[in-house]
Amino acid sequence: MSDETERHRQDNRSSALHFEMVRRKPTALLAGIVTDICGYREIWPGHFRIVEYASLTVPLVISFAEAFAIGLGRDPGDNDRFASFAAGLYAGPVVIESFGGACCVQVNFTPLGARQFFGLPMSELKDRMVGLDDALGFEGIALRERLGEAQDWDARFAIAEGFVTSRLAEANPLSPEVAWAYRKVIASGGRNRISALAEEIGWSRKHLAAKFSDAIGIGPKTLSRIVRFNHALSLSKRQEDDWAGIAADCGYADQAHLVREFRQFAGETPTALAALA
């Protein structure tokens, strides 16, 4: 086990004895494809609830125990149970509940990496959770069995990395135009003019939006909004209560615009969100 993996395990155990969380960066071969791989195991009965804000992470969750209850933009109901699944991008908060018996490996993909790995239009995963068998077929079921039989987190991480690497070797290449436009949006903090990006590529704005929908599941405008929101969220940890300044720094028209975006992507106002931190 690497020092980094061990440190994450100790830190989480010291702060919450109810669960174990082990996180590791992938190998250099998966740079730009996978951001990290996480192992999670609940070791004490309880009811756990977290809210994840709109992000650019596409997770693949392989579960060996109890399912999670997941609601998109709302509290989950009795029928919202998911064990092993893939989830596309969602432009809003996601409420996740578990009940003391969860254990899983989660591979977190970048949007472009997910398109290559899953080999299907990411619009098919947008705003939904898709079962492992539907997302990966028999390969996914076999992967779950191998991971469940592994003896420790390091062995599971190695299996997961090997599976992703092998599948990517047969993947079709991404559109270079879409990859370029995506990276330009990220680098600008979501402040690019979409029409200018389309013009530089030589496409219409409508064609660019269609290509983005296939590649990452959302259009370039929604991508820009999520990027701006996450930038503002990051700045709020250093510029507490300076919401007007954060709005200006992130390219919002005014503070009211920032508040509306926080309500959509986090389900809370900026001040309410800061109070929860």
Side-chain angles (χ1 to χ4, degrees):
M1 178 177 292
S2 70
D3 292 340
E4 181 180 9
T5 302
E6 181 68 29
R7 184 171 65 253
H8 282 298
R9 172 180 288 181
Q10 290 174 348
D11 286 348
N12 279 283
R13 280 186 167 174
S14 65
S15 63
L17 297 176
H18 294 85
F19 65 89
E20 171 188 39
M21 183 177 289
V22 187
R23 192 181 300 273
R24 191 170 74 183
K25 293 290 184 183
T27 63
L29 288 174
L30 297 181
I33 302 292
V34 174
T35 59
D36 64 325
I37 303 175
C38 177
Y40 177 79
R41 181 173 70 96
E42 293 171 350
I43 56 181
W44 195 262
H47 178 196
F48 307 100
R49 182 180 188 274
I50 65 170
V51 179
E52 295 186 348
Y53 312 131
S55 75
L56 297 179
T57 295
V58 179
L60 172 65
V61 176
I62 303 106
S63 174
F64 324 116
E66 291 183 4
F68 295 93
I70 305 175
L72 299 180
R74 57 174 175 78
D75 289 333
D78 292 339
N79 296 324
D80 298 319
R81 299 298 178 94
F82 303 90
S84 297
F85 62 92
L89 296 180
Y90 175 66
V94 179
V95 181
I96 304 171
E97 295 182 343
S98 56
F99 308 94
C103 183
C104 67
V105 166
Q106 178 169 323
V107 183
N108 291 320
F109 291 91
T110 67
L112 295 180
R115 178 63 177 89
Q116 288 186 279
F117 174 78
F118 289 107
L120 50 79
M122 294 308 293
S123 56
E124 295 184 15
L125 294 182
K126 178 192 173 189
D127 298 349
R128 60 190 295 235
M129 280 71 68
V130 176
L132 186 65
D133 52 343
D134 290 327
L136 296 177
F138 290 116
E139 284 185 294
I141 303 305
L143 172 65
R144 182 187 179 280
E145 292 177 356
R146 291 179 62 204
L147 291 172
E149 293 169 355
Q151 298 299 309
D152 55 36
W153 292 120
D154 267 4
R156 288 174 179 145
F157 291 159
I159 291 169
E161 285 187 357
F163 179 84
V164 174
T165 302
S166 176
R167 189 174 174 91
L168 287 171
E170 301 176 358
N172 293 323
L174 290 170
S175 159
E177 293 88 353
V178 170
W180 175 85
Y182 174 87
R183 293 181 180 117
K184 292 288 282 189
V185 171
I186 299 298
S188 73
R191 303 183 68 166
N192 294 97
R193 288 178 58 247
I194 305 305
S195 57
L197 290 176
E199 184 178 351
E200 190 163 352
I201 294 172
W203 291 350
S204 69
R205 183 167 178 160
K206 183 178 180 180
H207 186 66
L208 179 62
K211 289 294 186 179
F212 260 67
S213 180
D214 174 88
I216 66 174
I218 58 176
K221 182 177 179 179
T222 301
L223 170 66
S224 297
R225 292 175 63 206
I226 293 176
V227 171
R228 282 199 303 270
F229 161 72
N230 278 280
H231 186 204
L233 194 61
S234 176
L235 288 179
S236 70
K237 298 173 184 177
R238 305 194 301 270
Q239 300 172 217
E240 296 181 9
D241 299 324
D242 182 18
W243 296 112
I246 292 172
D249 289 342
C250 295
Y252 292 108
D254 50 33
Q255 188 171 336
H257 184 195
L258 178 145
V259 171
R260 290 194 300 272
E261 294 293 89
F262 267 63
R263 284 188 182 278
Q264 173 168 343
F265 295 128
E268 301 280 0
T269 64
T271 51
L273 208 61
L276 294 173

